[in-house]
Amino acid sequence: PEKLFAALFTTPIDGSGNEVEVSSDNTGYSRQQILSFMSPSQGVYINSEPVVFGPALVGWGTVMEFAIYDEK
């Protein structure tokens, strides 16, 4: 994919489709683009720039997991 985005979740990601992503309704949250990766090493990619979320306008709950998507 041309662009990748990080997303935050307040429930475990278990493949059931019932995961809960942090709400983007007037909360200050949105998926953030991962801007650059270092060359892969042993099949592992590492982002070379911090992924910054926020600022939060309200509490987002407890973030438990993250996921990477190819769409915002």
Side-chain angles (χ1 to χ4, degrees):
E2 188 175 313
K3 294 180 180 180
L4 294 174
F5 298 88
L8 303 177
F9 289 83
T10 57
T11 59
I13 300 170
D14 61 8
S16 68
N18 294 322
E19 309 72 32
V20 177
E21 186 172 357
V22 172
S23 173
S24 60
D25 293 335
N26 299 313
T27 64
Y29 169 79
S30 66
R31 292 181 181 179
Q32 296 299 303
Q33 185 174 358
I34 301 170
L35 298 175
S36 61
F37 286 99
M38 297 168 53
S39 297
S41 173
Q42 299 179 356
V44 176
Y45 287 82
I46 298 173
N47 60 303
S48 56
E49 298 289 328
V51 178
V52 179
F53 292 87
L57 302 177
V58 298
W60 291 352
T62 300
V63 173
M64 298 179 73
E65 299 194 24
F66 75 96
I68 298 175
Y69 289 89
D70 62 358
E71 61 185 49
K72 194 168 186 177

